[in-house]
Amino acid sequence: MKFYQRFAYYLVGLIMGCFFVAMVLSGKDTRCNYFPNARVLNDLSTKPFNLSEEATKKLNEKWVTITDIKNTLKYGDVDFDKSNIKFESGKKYFIEGKTTSNIQITLEFINYPDKVVLKDIIKK
């Protein structure tokens, strides 16, 4: 069998395999969260979200918005040195990020089994 024939068989198999994988995974909400930072951010962003009084006061000051908080939950970095501490019936997490006006912020979340509470917003 010549090289171009083997190459043609290879391409046909590759295309069929890609098509099969695309069909299997297209209908599912699959995520590949293998790293701890991605797992924590995914867990916090998928649960119902509540605000504490302190966080509401800081949001009313208008230097940070809900969009900044959601972007930090999506692209932020979890500070594991201070995080994963037992607090009441949940765990406390600190996530570092930036606002749209490039202000460094740290968000303090409490992760309960059924909800997430934004406890405080800290400007650096």
Side-chain angles (χ1 to χ4, degrees):
M1 191 179 289
K2 295 181 181 178
F3 175 74
Y4 70 89
Q5 290 174 328
R6 283 185 281 156
F7 188 67
Y9 278 119
Y10 170 77
L11 283 178
V12 168
L14 181 68
I15 291 170
M16 287 175 30
C18 289
F19 180 74
F20 177 72
V21 169
M23 285 195 51
V24 169
L25 296 180
S26 67
K28 298 179 181 178
D29 185 22
T30 56
R31 292 188 178 111
C32 298
N33 296 330
Y34 295 115
F35 295 108
N37 194 59
R39 284 183 175 186
V40 170
L41 293 177
N42 183 41
D43 185 43
L44 293 175
S45 63
T46 56
K47 291 182 182 176
F49 184 74
N50 297 327
L51 297 171
S52 69
E53 290 181 22
E54 295 173 35
T56 306
K57 287 178 188 176
K58 301 247 174 116
L59 282 170
N60 289 336
E61 293 174 6
K62 304 290 187 203
W63 59 270
V64 65
T65 63
I66 291 289
T67 306
D68 297 330
I69 293 169
K70 290 186 180 190
N71 285 339
T72 302
L73 268 177
K74 190 172 184 180
Y75 302 111
D77 293 321
V78 180
D79 187 358
F80 284 105
D81 291 336
K82 295 190 267 182
S83 296
N84 206 7
I85 299 169
K86 297 253 185 212
F87 184 80
E88 296 172 358
S89 63
K91 291 187 177 183
K92 191 183 285 190
Y93 289 98
F94 291 89
I95 301 173
E96 299 172 349
K98 291 183 180 181
T99 63
T100 52
S101 57
N102 212 18
I103 299 171
Q104 293 279 342
I105 58 171
T106 301
L107 304 177
E108 183 180 343
F109 286 98
I110 302 171
N111 187 11
Y112 295 106
D114 58 341
K115 65 180 179 179
V116 174
V117 175
L118 176 60
K119 186 174 179 192
D120 197 11
I121 305 167
I122 304 163
K123 186 191 290 189
K124 286 190 169 184

